[in-house]
């Protein structure tokens, strides 16, 4: 460590004492001399020490920036939504001429409007957890106005002496387009034919009934029960169309931090009347310290509602449904819904989730297909296990947010009954 500060300040103390002796004739070695020299030595030592660590910090920061600059992935460091640092890969990705065109701007300047709520929620989670979060997809815009898809992982860091967020990711636009092209090539014709045949079959049957009963109305106009049948069949057509709209409608989901237990309790409360009418009881078993998940809660509620209704319909004579939620070792949470219904033949399980494949008399198969689509968008998976005449278990696996919760205030006893 350089001692230049100590030397200069001690020399100044000596020169001052020498000046006092020459000009005023005072003694050289006085108490003040020793005191000021000691203070000069200590202050100089602190100054040299601060310069030494400051130099090391600057060298470390320069090495840190050189490392980030050498990465092929884009790196963005921002604080309070203001961009503090980007590497060369980011400059190239957003088609800027230099880093100065990016640094100082708001990160929201690069987000398309429909993805801004997702970005805001992500930043809140990062600041709260202060741990690395799973990758998420954003749609961003370049300086020239073109858009692209950016897969990014973020974490909380200290940068330049203050709190900041480091985001590292890559442009996945080409990958998404290639996957879409492959899917379209392999499934477009087959899916088109399958869906066309299914739609024709599903809509033709209720229309035939409507046509026949309308014809009967000409001669039996006092038979009011015919009107009910006509309305029921029309409602069935409407339900089929609605399920198609859910599957086809593009949407940008805003994922928020959510306790899965709250979602399940909401759904159980919602279907309570249906449970009573069908002589079905639900029992829940939740781990007392479940981690949170990042999800679009309304979509997950739709999944749980579909699966619970399926379980109820699988037990026409009543029975029990068991819902369990627990943490897995691989950073996932498991939610299982088990019924005591008639079960599903093993050879039919791989075809579940396909459109128009169903074991129900008046089903379309689109409900379960919607569940698969939603869970896939949450980076999760659905596993189905079934034994004939004993029941079916549907297990949903979802990635968790890294932070663990404290013990839930409303944690339930094992097998609490609703």
């Amino acid at each position: 460590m350089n001692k230049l500060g100590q030397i200069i300040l001690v020399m100044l103390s000596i020169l001052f004492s020498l000046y006092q002796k020459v000009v005023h004739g005072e003694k050289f070695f006085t108490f003040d001399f020793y005191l000021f020299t000691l203070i000069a030595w200590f202050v100089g030592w602190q100054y040299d020490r601060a310069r030494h660590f400051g130099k090391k910090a600057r060298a470390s920061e320069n090495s840190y920036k050189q490392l980030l600059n050498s990465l092929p992935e884009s790196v963005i460091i921002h604080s309070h939504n203001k961009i503090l640092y980007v590497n060369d890969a980011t400059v190239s990705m957003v088609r800027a001429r230099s880093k100065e065109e990016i640094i100082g701007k708001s990160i929201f300047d690069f987000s398309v409007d429909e993805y801004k709520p997702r970005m805001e929620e992500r930043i809140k989670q990062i600041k709260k957890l202060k741990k690395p979060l799973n990758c998420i997809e954003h749609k961003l815009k370049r300086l020239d106005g073109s858009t692209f898809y950016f897969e990014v992982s973020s974490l909380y860091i200290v940068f330049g002496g203050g709190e900041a967020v480091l985001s590292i990711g890559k442009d996945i636009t080409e990958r998404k387009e290639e996957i879409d092209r492959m899917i379209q090539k392999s499934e477009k014709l087959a899916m088109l034919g399958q869906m066309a045949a299914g739609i024709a079959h599903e809509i033709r049957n209720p229309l035939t009934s409507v046509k026949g009963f309308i014809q009967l109305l000409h001669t039996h106009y006092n038979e009011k029960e015919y009107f009910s049948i006509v309305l029921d069949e029309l409602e069935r057509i409407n339900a089929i169309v609605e399920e198609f709209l859910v599957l086809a409608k593009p949407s940008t989901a805003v994922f928020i931090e959510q306790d899965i237990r709250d979602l399940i309790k909401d759904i159980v409360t919602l279907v309570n009347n249906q449970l009573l009418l069908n002589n079905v009881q639900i029992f829940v078993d939740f781990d007392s310290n479940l981690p949170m998940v990042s999800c679009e809660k309304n979509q997950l509620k739709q999944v749980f509602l579909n699966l619970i209704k399926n379980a109820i319909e699988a037990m026409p004579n009543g029975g029990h449904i068991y819902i369990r939620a627990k943490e897995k070792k691989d950073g996932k949470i498991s939610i299982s819904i088990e019924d005591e219904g008639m079960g599903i033949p093993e050879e039919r399980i791989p075809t579940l989730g396909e459109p128009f494949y169903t074991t129900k008399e008046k089903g379309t198969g689109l409900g379960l297909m919607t569940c698969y689509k939603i869970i896939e968008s949450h980076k999760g998976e659905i596993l189905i296990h079934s034994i004939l005449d004993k029941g079916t278990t549907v297990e949903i696996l979802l990635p968790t947010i890294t932070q663990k919760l404290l013990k839930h205030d409303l944690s339930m006893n094992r097998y609490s009954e609703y």
Side-chain angles (χ1 to χ4, degrees):
M1 185 172 68
N2 195 322
K3 296 184 178 181
L4 181 61
Q6 281 182 286
I7 295 171
I8 291 174
L9 290 178
V10 170
M11 288 297 298
L12 287 174
S13 178
I14 293 172
L15 289 173
F16 179 76
S17 295
L18 184 61
Y19 170 80
Q20 291 288 90
K21 177 177 176 59
V22 172
V23 176
H24 300 288
E26 296 181 3
K27 291 182 179 180
F28 186 83
F29 295 103
T30 64
F31 176 77
D32 289 345
F33 168 76
Y34 290 113
L35 177 62
F36 291 142
T37 303
L38 179 62
I39 293 173
W41 177 86
F42 180 75
V43 172
W45 175 72
Q46 289 287 359
Y47 173 76
D48 290 335
R49 189 167 178 267
R51 288 181 65 244
H52 171 71
F53 286 110
K55 186 177 180 180
K56 286 185 65 177
R58 286 191 296 274
S60 177
E61 183 175 335
N62 288 335
S63 299
Y64 181 62
K65 288 182 177 179
Q66 288 177 1
L67 174 63
L68 295 180
N69 210 42
S70 66
L71 293 176
E73 289 81 11
S74 295
V75 176
I76 305 169
I77 299 176
H78 55 91
S79 178
H80 303 293
N81 302 333
K82 182 180 179 181
I83 298 174
L84 305 178
Y85 171 83
V86 294
N87 65 350
D88 289 342
T90 305
V91 174
S92 175
M93 182 180 68
V94 301
R95 296 176 185 171
R97 288 172 294 185
S98 66
K99 295 180 181 179
E100 286 69 27
E101 279 193 280
I102 306 172
I103 295 174
K105 289 181 177 290
S106 169
I107 57 171
F108 293 107
D109 290 341
F110 296 90
S111 176
V112 298
D113 291 341
E114 61 266 31
Y115 276 77
K116 285 181 180 178
R118 174 184 284 197
M119 186 178 289
E120 289 171 350
E121 182 62 31
R122 186 74 167 180
I123 292 173
K124 290 179 184 177
Q125 292 179 5
I126 294 166
K127 289 180 178 179
K128 180 180 179 181
L129 303 180
K130 298 186 177 180
K131 291 184 179 180
L133 298 186
N134 295 329
C135 287
I136 192 171
E137 182 183 296
H138 291 291
K139 189 175 183 181
L140 305 180
K141 55 186 178 184
R142 300 183 179 93
L143 292 180
D144 61 6
S146 60
T147 59
F148 65 100
Y149 289 95
F150 186 55
E151 188 178 65
V152 60
S153 178
S154 302
L155 69 154
Y156 168 88
I157 65 168
V158 175
F159 183 81
E163 296 182 350
V165 176
L166 183 146
S167 297
I168 181 168
K170 56 186 176 181
D171 183 347
I172 60 167
T173 305
E174 290 186 4
R175 187 180 74 185
K176 281 179 66 68
E177 291 175 350
E178 181 63 27
I179 291 174
D180 289 342
R181 282 195 294 269
M182 291 174 62
I183 292 175
Q184 289 174 4
K185 286 180 180 179
S186 62
E187 297 183 357
K188 187 174 182 179
L189 292 177
M191 195 68 176
L192 183 61
Q194 184 183 19
M195 292 185 71
I199 292 171
H201 173 74
E202 291 295 324
I203 294 181
R204 183 178 56 187
N205 289 342
L207 285 178
T208 301
S209 300
V210 171
K211 181 180 178 180
F213 282 109
I214 288 178
Q215 290 172 341
L216 287 174
L217 286 176
H218 287 290
T219 55
H220 300 280
Y221 59 89
N222 289 325
E223 298 292 339
K224 294 184 179 180
E225 61 180 305
Y226 295 153
F227 287 97
S228 297
I229 296 174
V230 170
L231 292 174
D232 288 343
E233 294 296 332
L234 288 173
E235 186 61 33
R236 185 180 171 204
I237 294 174
N238 183 60
I240 294 170
V241 173
E242 286 292 334
E243 286 184 309
F244 271 113
L245 290 175
V246 170
L247 289 171
K249 182 181 178 182
S251 61
T252 301
V254 177
F255 285 62
I256 63 172
E257 184 179 340
Q258 187 69 47
D259 188 339
I260 207 73
R261 292 168 293 191
D262 293 337
L263 297 184
I264 294 174
K265 285 185 283 185
D266 288 346
I267 293 302
V268 172
T269 302
L270 183 64
V271 299
N272 189 51
N273 289 335
Q274 190 173 353
L275 295 172
L276 295 174
L277 291 173
N278 290 274
N279 193 29
V280 173
Q281 290 179 297
I282 284 187
F283 298 88
V284 295
D285 177 17
F286 297 150
D287 280 357
S288 61
N289 195 23
L290 277 177
M292 304 286 268
V293 298
S294 181
C295 68
E296 207 297 314
K297 65 177 183 179
N298 290 326
Q299 289 186 356
L300 279 194
K301 281 184 178 181
Q302 182 180 356
V303 171
F304 296 143
L305 183 61
N306 283 341
L307 296 180
I308 291 174
K309 284 186 174 181
N310 286 348
I312 293 172
E313 293 173 3
M315 300 184 293
N317 298 320
H320 298 151
I321 297 174
Y322 299 92
I323 302 178
R324 301 177 176 89
K326 60 183 179 180
E327 183 180 7
K328 307 284 279 189
K329 292 182 179 179
D330 53 357
K332 295 182 179 179
I333 187 173
S334 166
I335 306 102
S336 63
I337 299 173
E338 178 183 347
D339 64 55
E340 299 175 338
M342 58 192 86
I344 304 169
E346 185 177 353
E347 66 273 11
R348 295 188 178 182
I349 291 179
T351 60
L352 295 177
E354 294 181 3
F356 308 114
Y357 180 86
T358 179
T359 57
K360 300 178 186 178
E361 182 180 350
K362 293 187 177 182
T364 63
L366 298 176
L368 194 55
M369 183 179 179
T370 302
C371 293
Y372 273 97
K373 180 181 178 182
I374 290 172
I375 296 302
E376 182 182 355
S377 71
H378 283 70
K379 309 296 184 184
E381 57 181 322
I382 296 180
L383 306 176
I384 299 178
H385 312 276
S386 187
I387 301 176
L388 281 176
D389 300 322
K390 288 189 176 181
T392 300
T393 299
V394 180
E395 182 180 19
I396 300 171
L397 297 176
L398 293 172
T400 65
I401 293 181
T402 54
Q403 185 186 28
K404 305 241 183 179
L405 291 175
L406 297 176
K407 188 172 182 180
H408 198 264
D409 294 335
L410 299 176
S411 59
M412 301 181 180
N413 294 327
R414 191 169 184 82
Y415 290 127
S416 301
E417 180 183 343
Y418 275 87

